[in-house]
Amino acid sequence: MKFEIMRDWLLEGLNDVMKAISSKVANPILTGVKIDVNEKGLTMTGSDSDITICTFIPVEQDGEQIIRVIESGSIILQAKVFSEIVRKLPTNDVTIEVENMQTHIQSGKSEFHLIGSNSDEYPVLPNVKDEYRFSLPSDLMKSIIKETVFAVSQQETRPILTGVHWETDEEKLVCVATDSHRLARREIVPEMMPESPFSVVIPGKSLQELNKILPDNSDLVEIVIADQQVLFKTRNVLFYSRLLEGNYPDTSRLIPSEYKTTVQVNGRKLLQAIDRASLLAREDRNNIVRFSADGSDVIEVSSNSPEIGKVEELIEAINVNGEELKISFSAKYMMDALKAIEGQDIAIHFTGAMRPFILKSMDSDAILQLILPVRTF
């Protein structure tokens, strides 16, 4: 195997692949990156058995030659070492040659010699049969992840809650995450829906890594869902993830349909006020902030820490409707929810001081956030 490549392209592809590589794997071969070169270009593969990422670098793109392939072949190299070498090469011109598992990397006056492994030892890529297929714009995918994945459970006691539930019906895709203390839901109507409905749970960790790879543009991401696997395809990246096994709880029954108090307020102003109030609440284990509405168009956000002091802040609401209310909640959960709705004017619907409350944008029902209050007496 021998080829010449531009270092910037090699490093960019390698950075994506490295997101799937972990030192904590049962199979030592997975600490390596698999490199395949043929007349079409270079493919690099990394995996931790849960996530597999393949990046493809074409021989040329937009009329620019990126790779000159002299001899096709494949090799596995220690990923961490190879990545550090490529990152620190002195010039943009790189030549890589493999002879009897000895890999020679040359750039400028620097030359490295690495011992590789036989690529036949690398696990076969997951076989994703085309059961359900649809596409979403990349920037929309990133929004969906941002608006839901923060609410997945960090506890492995209920593994199914560490993922985001993706479910379709005839009209829409619904993405839900919950850790049993809060819930984030996003509804989307894809232009091309899968022919039949599906229900899968994608690990939150996988979606967080996918989010780092997806471009900030409207290029379509093709999504293929099959038995125990999901594949996200972009222009030059294949991102495979295993799916979580088990039945996701029915979260629709948690969402109240009747409200006793509704507060409409600017989300950014409320976020900033809660952020300030949480300065005194952070020392407290639960990071509790109190919220009061007395029927006027002014709401109060406050926090009290016996060792430090207290803070009270009044915020002008757009509208307050319904019964008087005093409620306490986690400042972190509330700030996460407000960030997901991106500082728009929001409506907060309450059903009582100890009942879950929901947040929505005043302009759209697409994003819903639900939070359980905290008992403080």
Side-chain angles (χ1 to χ4, degrees):
M1 181 176 91
K2 186 175 182 181
F3 63 97
E4 297 169 356
I5 187 169
M6 295 170 71
R7 182 187 73 98
D8 293 348
W9 282 81
L10 181 60
L11 186 58
E12 186 179 336
L14 199 51
N15 284 342
D16 287 343
V17 166
M18 290 296 291
K19 292 177 175 63
I21 294 173
S22 168
S23 57
K24 300 172 184 176
V25 284
N27 184 353
I29 204 75
L30 293 181
T31 60
V33 56
K34 183 185 178 188
I35 300 171
D36 292 287
V37 177
N38 59 31
E39 69 280 358
K40 293 180 180 177
L42 167 71
T43 301
M44 290 184 286
T45 305
S47 179
D48 66 359
S49 74
D50 287 338
I51 299 172
T52 302
I53 301 174
C54 296
T55 58
F56 175 70
I57 304 172
V59 167
E60 65 171 64
Q61 187 165 300
D62 301 328
E64 177 187 27
Q65 183 167 16
I66 302 162
I67 305 172
R68 189 169 82 88
V69 179
I70 301 159
E71 185 182 351
S72 298
S74 58
I75 191 77
I76 299 171
L77 298 176
Q78 271 299 313
K80 190 174 180 184
V81 176
F82 181 55
S83 173
E84 286 298 322
I85 289 171
V86 172
R87 185 170 280 105
K88 295 180 180 179
L89 289 175
T91 74
N92 203 33
D93 297 318
V94 183
T95 301
I96 297 177
E97 183 176 5
V98 177
E99 294 177 311
N100 300 322
M101 299 301 148
Q102 294 287 330
T103 304
H104 311 290
I105 304 165
Q106 185 176 355
S107 175
K109 294 183 179 179
S110 296
E111 193 166 330
F112 292 85
H113 304 278
L114 294 181
I115 300 167
S117 303
N118 192 323
S119 61
D120 293 341
E121 298 174 24
Y122 204 83
V124 178
L125 282 176
N127 181 22
V128 178
K129 293 178 182 175
D130 188 3
E131 288 189 31
Y132 307 100
R133 182 187 293 260
F134 62 105
S135 299
L136 292 173
S138 179
D139 47 8
L140 176 58
M141 270 290 306
K142 289 175 79 78
S143 294
I144 293 167
I145 294 169
K146 173 181 167 245
E147 290 153 3
T148 57
V149 78
F150 66 87
V152 301
S153 174
Q154 303 303 316
Q155 308 297 321
E156 291 292 339
T157 47
R158 291 186 69 188
I160 198 74
L161 296 185
T162 63
V164 181
H165 184 212
W166 283 35
E167 185 173 36
T168 59
D169 56 23
E170 293 176 358
E171 298 176 355
K172 60 184 182 289
L173 167 67
V174 181
C175 305
V176 175
T178 182
D179 61 5
S180 74
H181 299 289
R182 56 174 167 177
L183 177 145
R185 187 184 76 189
R186 177 70 154 95
E187 295 183 347
I188 313 100
V189 181
E191 289 186 14
M192 293 287 291
M193 287 286 290
E195 290 183 7
S196 51
F198 67 81
S199 173
V200 297
V201 183
I202 306 172
K205 179 191 167 197
S206 299
L207 291 171
Q208 286 169 332
E209 296 303 331
L210 174 66
N211 193 43
K212 296 172 187 174
I213 291 172
L214 291 175
D216 290 310
N217 57 36
S218 58
D219 289 357
L220 287 179
V221 179
E222 193 174 348
I223 302 158
V224 184
I225 292 173
D227 185 37
Q228 299 309 317
Q229 288 285 335
V230 59
L231 166 61
F232 298 91
K233 292 183 182 181
T234 66
R235 187 177 183 184
N236 290 327
V237 178
L238 300 178
F239 186 105
Y240 298 84
S241 171
R242 72 179 178 92
L243 297 171
L244 294 177
E245 295 183 38
N247 294 319
Y248 202 82
D250 177 14
T251 55
S252 60
R253 59 188 176 79
L254 301 175
I255 298 166
S257 55
E258 295 181 350
Y259 319 117
K260 293 182 178 177
T261 309
T262 296
V263 174
Q264 295 176 336
V265 65
N266 179 270
R268 186 173 287 107
K269 288 181 180 176
L270 182 58
L271 173 62
Q272 291 168 347
I274 291 173
D275 193 15
R276 287 189 287 269
S278 74
L279 291 172
L280 298 191
R282 276 178 200 155
E283 298 302 317
D284 183 5
R285 182 171 57 87
N286 293 319
N287 197 4
I288 303 300
V289 165
R290 292 168 184 82
F291 180 99
S292 304
D294 61 4
S296 70
D297 285 345
V298 176
I299 54 177
E300 182 182 273
V301 172
S302 62
S303 179
N304 181 27
S305 175
E307 298 83 14
I308 303 172
K310 63 180 180 178
V311 56
E312 296 169 349
E313 183 163 347
L314 300 177
I315 306 163
E316 196 80 34
I318 298 166
N319 186 35
V320 178
N321 189 25
E323 300 177 4
E324 289 189 21
L325 176 84
K326 290 187 178 180
I327 194 167
S328 301
F329 46 74
S330 159
K332 180 184 184 309
Y333 287 179
M334 190 65 162
M335 288 194 292
D336 285 345
L338 289 166
K339 287 173 186 172
I341 306 177
E342 289 249 54
Q344 304 167 32
D345 288 341
I346 62 163
I348 313 175
H349 301 292
F350 300 94
T351 52
M354 287 314 300
R355 302 279 299 158
F357 61 92
I358 63 172
L359 296 83
K360 291 182 181 179
S361 165
M362 284 171 59
D363 301 326
S364 167
D365 286 342
I367 306 172
L368 179 144
Q369 303 288 331
L370 177 145
I371 298 173
L372 268 66
V374 177
R375 190 182 297 275
T376 56
F377 52 85

